[in-house]
């Protein structure tokens, strides 16, 4: 993560400019995608919608337009999954979206990606490692927006029920 600070700033600036975007993930990374989107929503007040990459063909596809940031979470897996994600990246890039990738595939490259954040590959801790860049991005994005990351807006410290 330390060597890729410019990649993080690329994602951060893209999210700040658009104020909304998507996080797309597949299979075991679906929960990671939701956690990543939630972290940025709570701390930096940017609306990110997390969804499976396979759902890209449905209603949300109509919302993709020029310069909307789309972050793909890609974990080592089958070649078939990698091929499907690459096709999805090409599809959103053709519509003008700003494509960013968080991956544990060490040598991953895609010409349509504005930035690629590489995280270490570890099957046991893959979800934690993939969500870390989003925590860092949410922190710096909140600082850039002059928000207090330690006091998220409208978040209760406890939940009460009637």
């Amino acid at each position: 993560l330390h060597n890729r600070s410019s990649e993080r700033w690329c994602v951060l600036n893209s999210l700040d400019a658009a104020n909304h975007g998507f996080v797309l993930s597949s299979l075991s990374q679906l929960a990671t995608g939701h956690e990543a989107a939630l972290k940025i929503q709570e701390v930096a007040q940017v609306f990110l919608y997390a969804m499976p990459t396979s759902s890209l063909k449905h209603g949300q596809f109509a919302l993709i337009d020029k310069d909307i940031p789309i972050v793909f979470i890609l974990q080592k897996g089958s070649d078939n999954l990698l091929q499907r994600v690459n096709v999805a990246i090409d599809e959103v890039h053709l519509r003008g979206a700003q494509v960013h990738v968080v991956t544990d595939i060490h040598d991953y490259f895609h010409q349509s990606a504005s930035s690629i954040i590489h995280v270490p590959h570890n099957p046991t801790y893959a979800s934690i490692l993939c969500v870390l860049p989003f925590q860092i991005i949410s922190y710096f994005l909140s600082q850039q927006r002059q928000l207090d990351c330690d006091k998220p807006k409208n978040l209760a410290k406890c939940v009460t029920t009637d």
Side-chain angles (χ1 to χ4, degrees):
L1 292 172
H2 299 293
N3 297 334
R4 301 286 182 175
S5 63
S6 62
E7 304 290 332
R8 284 194 308 266
W9 284 108
C10 184
V11 177
L12 185 146
N13 290 329
S14 175
L15 289 170
D16 191 31
N19 204 38
H20 65 282
F22 291 96
V23 176
L24 301 177
S25 54
S26 301
L27 303 173
S28 64
Q29 292 296 347
L30 287 175
T32 305
H34 286 286
E35 177 62 25
L38 184 63
K39 185 62 63 184
I40 289 178
Q41 288 173 14
E42 290 176 348
V43 176
Q45 298 177 10
V46 172
F47 179 73
L48 282 185
Y49 185 74
M51 65 182 198
T53 304
S54 59
S55 295
L56 195 56
K57 302 287 184 199
H58 303 292
Q60 296 85 352
F61 199 61
L63 299 174
I64 297 171
D65 58 1
K66 186 175 180 346
D67 295 329
I68 187 168
I70 300 179
V71 184
F72 287 85
I73 299 176
L74 179 59
Q75 184 182 5
K76 257 185 194 174
S78 70
D79 289 338
N80 185 32
L81 175 64
L82 180 61
Q83 183 180 6
R84 286 186 308 195
V85 171
N86 284 335
V87 167
I89 289 172
D90 287 334
E91 287 177 357
V92 298
H93 179 70
L94 286 173
R95 284 160 179 77
Q98 289 289 317
V99 177
H100 309 284
V101 179
V102 175
T103 183
D104 66 353
I105 302 171
H106 178 68
D107 58 350
Y108 181 78
F109 176 78
H110 196 288
Q111 70 276 4
S112 298
S114 298
S115 65
I116 300 173
I117 298 174
H118 292 92
V119 297
H121 173 69
N122 183 316
T124 305
Y125 300 109
S127 294
I128 295 170
L129 293 170
C130 282
V131 86
L132 285 175
F134 291 96
Q135 291 178 327
I136 295 167
I137 289 166
S138 66
Y139 170 77
F140 284 110
L141 187 54
S142 70
Q143 297 299 308
Q144 185 166 310
R145 292 173 156 230
Q146 298 178 350
L147 301 170
D148 186 351
C149 67
D150 292 324
K151 296 178 185 172
K153 183 178 175 183
N154 297 329
L155 234 63
K157 294 223 179 222
C158 65
V159 177
T160 58
T161 57
D162 292 331

